[in-house]
Amino acid sequence: MLLGAAAVLLLVLPFVTDAALGHGWVRILDFALLYVLLALGLNIVVGYAGLLDLGYVAFFAVGAYCYALLASPHFDLHWPLWALLPAGALLAASFGVLLGTPTLGLRGDYLAIVTLGFGEIIRIFLNNLNTPVNITNGPQGVSLIDPLRIGPWSLGQVHHLGGLEIPIVVNIYFLFLVGVLLAIVLSRRLEHSRIGRAWAAIREDEVAAASMGLHTRNLKLLAFAMGASFGGLSGGLFAGFQGFVSPESFTLQESVMILCMVVLGGMGNIAGVVLGAVLLSVLPEALRAAGGLQQDLLGRVWVDPSNLRLLLFGLALVLMMLLRPEGLLPARARQRELHG
Amino acid sequence: MTALLQVEGLSVHYGGIEAVTGLDLEVRQGERVTLIGANGAGKSSTLKALAGLVVPSAGSIRYDGVDLRTVPAWQRVGRGLSLVPEGRGVFSRLSVEENLLMGAYHRNGATGLYEELERVYGLFTRLHERRHQAAGTLSGGEQQMLAIGRALMAAPRLLMLDEPSMGLAPLMVERIFEVIRNIAEAGVTLLLVEQNARLALEICDRAYVMESGRIVLTDSAARCLDNPLVRSAYLG
């Protein structure tokens, strides 16, 4: 019953938003879904396995460039979607293993620093791999990327279903929604599986876990690879949606933002992570309206909306850590830890 | 009796510090052996080396006729070598039952897992009552029971216990040792590390006394109880 209501809501939401607020807002919804997918991926690494990753955006970048290079005039390759997305996810997963293999002996803060460095390395590589052989096209990025296309259906154009007009952003919304739903199902299955329990055990007491006969290094690598593959998948979707990628989109700021979504919503809890991602991607956009509001009410713009966003964001984080350190919708286990 | 575990010349280093020096030790099938000694004598390091959690700098460990140097930690549990770590190491945010299932992690899909679970619950009825509760909410004694039960889930042949009495009330210590005695009587070979030397000597057949990384004395447990040196140093 509740599930049915939620399904109807999700189905109607883009059309209502489009009619009421216009394409721009549906686009914001699309990005919110993309962030949900990213946050769910990072949640596997941070929430389930307890490994702090500050360079998660690197996997997003790998997936995006994988799509961009294999489906654009840059190399004159035009792979189909069903090959592009798995390729991006796989490539990102192997980068996860590549990062994890030498570094997973490190713990906590040290691991965080290394992952941060990794994120930067990937971005700088993308920025500079235009000489001597032009692979990534450097800071200009790759443009004219093929739009997302399912069989004969290009999602990059307006479709008509009966009398209903389905704009591009709504097409994208439904594709992303499918991705998010799959990710949720997969996360749930993982969390309650033998592997999920093993991750929880490692998170809590690595020595005890090892003495239970857990292959701790491989399990952590698996978490890295699984998380990275979600990132790679989102990257592919992002590239196909935008039609353009450049290294600028994959800064440390993005990694921090995704981590905030996971922490703010409630590490390890799927509903919390989804909520965190939606809030942090939609609220800043909503605050853009604050400029116009000031103009109307006070006669002039006192605080620039973009400054206001950061200010409120910082304030929200501080308040959260004071009042609900376990996140908005915490995992049961995390709540136990913080409130005994 | 054949030796189930045969350790020769075992040394463990942490950087420049030598925790265990040239240790020889033998545990025969079905035997109850205790390793006693003061704080920092190297007892826990010895057990960690046996479980594969630290890499020894020298020496050989033969278990059941196999050289363990080539067997990584995650495969030793599958061979029946189980460690109850010092300080219990229960997964405090997992439920009691999830903790127990972690103990049987390597027996993925094995039959008899639920019989094993029932057997452990039979041994520790308290754990059964609290099976859905988070392990962190148990008392110290219950957590120790859980740690032992978890190790039993691996169906060990050689059970190594690291300071099971640590931080427990005297009454609880007696109950834990009662259980350990029962486990040994069911045919599990025992290697017990303890600071509470009297209790350990009372339930074991043989003892090794360790001092600053070396074995300084080995004898039957009964004779150790009467040994004036042991009495003055460890029995007070």
Side-chain angles (χ1 to χ4, degrees), chain A residues 194-195 197-198 200-216 219 332-334 336-337 340, chain B residues 48 53 73-74 77 82-83 85 88-95 98 101-103 105-106 108 132 134 150-151:
Chain A
R194 179 167 163 270
I195 291 171
R197 275 204 305 273
I202 291 173
R203 199 175 68 208
E204 299 227 342
D205 191 330
E206 199 169 333
V207 173
S211 64
M212 295 299 97
L214 270 63
H215 195 323
T216 52
L219 281 162
R332 236 181 39 241
R334 294 269 175 192
R336 278 183 206 139
E337 181 191 34
Chain B
K48 278 188 181 163
L53 301 180
W74 63 91
V77 180
S82 230
L83 170 69
R88 309 185 273 269
V90 299
F91 307 122
S92 54
R93 284 173 280 153
L94 297 183
S95 73
E98 284 171 329
L101 288 174
M102 283 315 300
Y105 183 79
H106 69 282
N108 188 19
H132 298 305
R150 191 179 58 180

Side-chain angles (χ1 to χ4, degrees), chain A residues 115-275:
Chain A
T115 53
L116 188 150
F118 176 77
E120 286 300 286
I121 288 171
I122 294 289
R123 188 179 60 82
I124 290 166
F125 259 96
L126 294 175
N127 215 8
N128 292 296
L129 271 183
N130 51 350
T131 51
V133 186
N134 186 4
I135 301 173
T136 62
N137 209 22
Q140 283 94 41
V142 182
S143 50
L144 297 172
I145 300 169
D146 300 350
L148 297 159
R149 165 184 286 280
I150 299 170
W153 265 47
S154 169
L155 301 187
Q157 63 195 53
V158 181
H159 290 277
H160 293 274
L161 199 72
L164 194 66
E165 188 187 285
I166 306 177
I168 297 167
V169 281
V170 175
N171 292 332
I172 299 293
Y173 171 91
F174 284 112
L175 178 67
F176 287 7
L177 186 64
V178 170
V180 164
L181 292 178
L182 283 177
I184 289 176
V185 171
L186 199 65
S187 290
R188 274 191 68 93
R189 302 285 302 187
L190 271 175
E191 185 182 354
H192 299 290
S193 71
R194 179 167 163 270
I195 291 171
R197 275 204 305 273
W199 282 336
I202 291 173
R203 199 175 68 208
E204 299 227 342
D205 191 330
E206 199 169 333
V207 173
S211 64
M212 295 299 97
L214 270 63
H215 195 323
T216 52
R217 199 201 61 206
N218 279 9
L219 281 162
K220 289 200 273 184
L221 270 184
L222 185 65
F224 252 69
M226 291 290 313
S229 68
F230 280 43
L233 183 68
S234 334
L237 293 173
F238 172 75
F241 176 34
Q242 290 282 76
F244 168 72
V245 295
S246 79
E248 263 173 41
S249 312
F250 310 108
T251 54
L252 175 63
Q253 172 82 27
E254 285 294 306
S255 288
V256 172
M257 200 58 166
I258 301 164
L259 186 64
C260 282
M261 291 168 176
V262 174
V263 174
L264 206 75
M267 263 189 277
N269 183 28
I270 295 168
V273 169
V274 172
L275 180 69

